[in-house]
Amino acid sequence: VRGRNVLSVMAQCAGLACMASLLWAIGLYSLAFKGDGSFIGNFDAAFLKGITTDSITPDTAIPETVFIMFQMTFAIITPALYVGALVERMKFSALMLFSALWLLLVYVPVCHWVWGGGWLFDMGVRDLAGGIVVHTTAGVSALVLAIILKKRNGFPDHAQPPHNPGMVFVGAAMLWVGWFGFNAGSQLSAGGGAGMTMLVTHLSACTAGLVWSLIERVRNGKVGLVGMVTGLIAGLAAITPASGDVGPMGAIAIGAISAVLCFFAVSLIREKLRIDDSLDVFAVHGVGGILGTLLLAVFDQTAMGGLGIVKPIMEQLGIQSLAVGATIVWSIVATVVIAFVVKLVIGLRVTPEQEQEGLDYAEHGENAYPE
């Protein structure tokens, strides 16, 4: 983001991490992973009741405390993704209230549907590490929020590039390495499956970064660092749901396809539709996650170098498509309702004067780069 909004984004991410963690322990973990309901869990483990050092996660050898902490990180990162669509203009208080409700009404239900034994799990949907649960929910909500909040002052006529592309790279590098933990860790083991997941995650990211750079070179005559790392994030998002199903060559194919589609999705949303999804959350995370969720049905097949886990292509593609469609609709409706409630209660957007001053000082009373 621009220099006068650096601390506001950091504060938003830190605040979300703290709040999501506490809500997870109070009741969201239980609603996501306890009970056998088709649409939502129960409060059997509210306030982590009954969880001890001897508790073991069902069907694994993993202490439940470790599983709780691991899944907590997903609950933290998912709302942090859509922060990128609303930077430089949404109130800190509005974001916190919106995100608390969003975790309860969007993230937890979808998490239960897919990972907690809900109706999509029973249908046979495949999503190892969050193409549906994380990237589709956050990506779709990001686009809806960007439309509701409207554009930043000056968008798109005046360029609003990141004030420090070096920080963009550092952040992307942290994501790149951290993604190995998300994807490989989702195997809930330390064997060959986790090793393959880590390998295909890396290959997809590398391919997408290079393909994105190639497109930029052809179109603009230059290769931008920000573009390159945006491409590798698209490759990471796309491989996330499929990383437990595809082989190395499938991962390379998914990475290449994701770079092309996400690149042109960025252009469509930003230049053609003129929607101020500030950091291209939907175009990269949303489109990438949806794409990988669907391509999983193709590249899991042994004929395509996959592991052959899923049903025949068309049958599995139907299941994956239904899961994506249901998640998109649920995310849109819930996001609109939550945003309306928050706007009614405390308002969503800072004043034009605060936006011009920058949220670092207007919202937090600090400056990242004091004169």
Side-chain angles (χ1 to χ4, degrees):
V1 297
R2 289 172 291 181
R4 60 180 181 267
N5 294 297
V6 176
L7 299 182
S8 71
V9 175
M10 292 180 177
Q12 288 166 355
C13 291
L16 284 175
C18 296
M19 180 182 68
S21 300
L22 292 178
L23 292 178
W24 194 247
I26 290 168
L28 298 189
Y29 168 72
S30 187
L31 285 172
F33 288 100
K34 297 298 181 181
D36 54 5
S38 294
F39 293 95
I40 198 67
N42 59 34
F43 284 113
D44 283 355
F47 298 94
L48 302 185
K49 178 180 63 178
I51 308 298
T52 71
T53 54
D54 297 322
S55 301
I56 301 297
T57 307
D59 303 319
T60 74
I62 298 173
E64 190 167 8
T65 51
V66 175
F67 182 73
I68 291 168
M69 187 69 198
F70 180 66
Q71 288 296 336
M72 183 190 291
T73 63
F74 284 87
I76 291 169
I77 198 66
T78 307
L81 291 180
Y82 62 64
V83 166
L86 48 85
V87 295
E88 304 189 333
R89 60 200 190 277
M90 189 171 183
K91 294 180 180 179
F92 178 79
S93 58
L95 173 69
M96 294 293 282
L97 177 57
F98 176 91
S99 297
L101 296 172
W102 189 89
L103 283 166
L104 175 64
L105 299 176
V106 178
Y107 181 80
V108 164
V110 176
C111 181
H112 182 76
W113 298 351
V114 177
W115 292 338
W119 66 283
L120 290 176
F121 177 87
D122 290 338
M123 288 183 63
V125 72
R126 299 283 298 178
D127 180 13
L128 181 70
I132 300 169
V133 179
V134 175
H135 296 284
T136 301
T137 59
V140 170
S141 293
L143 187 64
V144 173
L145 277 173
I147 294 170
I148 292 173
L149 279 168
K150 299 183 172 61
K151 307 167 186 175
R152 289 169 293 173
N153 183 36
F155 177 90
D157 300 318
H158 300 288
Q160 297 170 323
H163 80 287
N164 188 338
M167 286 180 69
V168 176
F169 173 79
V170 171
M174 294 170 69
L175 273 176
W176 195 349
V177 176
W179 221 292
F180 298 149
F182 273 116
N183 284 8
S186 292
Q187 290 283 6
L188 304 182
S189 69
M196 178 63 79
T197 294
M198 182 180 290
L199 174 61
V200 299
T201 297
H202 185 63
L203 291 175
S204 178
C206 292
T207 304
L210 289 176
V211 171
W212 192 291
S213 297
L214 178 61
I215 297 172
E216 280 198 339
R217 176 74 177 182
V218 171
R219 284 170 59 98
N220 306 325
K222 296 180 181 179
V223 174
L225 174 65
V226 173
M228 182 185 297
V229 299
T230 301
L232 75 86
I233 298 300
L236 289 167
I239 197 61
T240 290
S243 56
D245 293 84
V246 305
M249 296 305 103
I252 291 172
I254 288 174
I257 297 169
S258 69
V260 174
L261 291 188
C262 292
F263 183 94
F264 288 104
V266 169
S267 297
L268 173 66
I269 292 168
R270 185 186 297 173
E271 298 169 14
K272 300 294 192 301
L273 300 179
R274 299 166 76 89
I275 296 172
D276 190 9
D277 178 354
S278 312
L279 306 184
D280 307 312
V281 180
F282 177 75
V284 175
H285 290 276
V287 172
I290 291 168
L291 177 69
T293 300
L294 301 179
L295 290 179
L296 177 158
V298 177
F299 290 104
D300 171 88
Q301 307 298 322
T302 53
M304 302 296 288
L307 305 185
I309 298 172
V310 302
K311 298 174 173 66
I313 290 180
M314 296 311 297
E315 184 179 355
Q316 189 67 40
L317 184 60
I319 295 171
Q320 301 296 109
S321 299
L322 174 62
V324 167
T327 301
I328 289 174
V329 172
W330 186 268
S331 299
I332 291 173
V333 173
T335 298
V336 170
V337 171
I338 297 168
F340 175 78
V341 171
V342 174
K343 183 176 182 179
L344 194 64
V345 174
I346 59 174
L348 288 171
R349 186 163 176 157
V350 298
T351 65
E353 294 76 20
Q354 290 173 320
E355 182 180 348
Q356 181 62 34
E357 182 181 31
L359 271 61
D360 284 5
Y361 192 78
E363 286 270 282
H364 304 285
E366 299 171 316
N367 288 310
Y369 306 105
E371 296 178 356

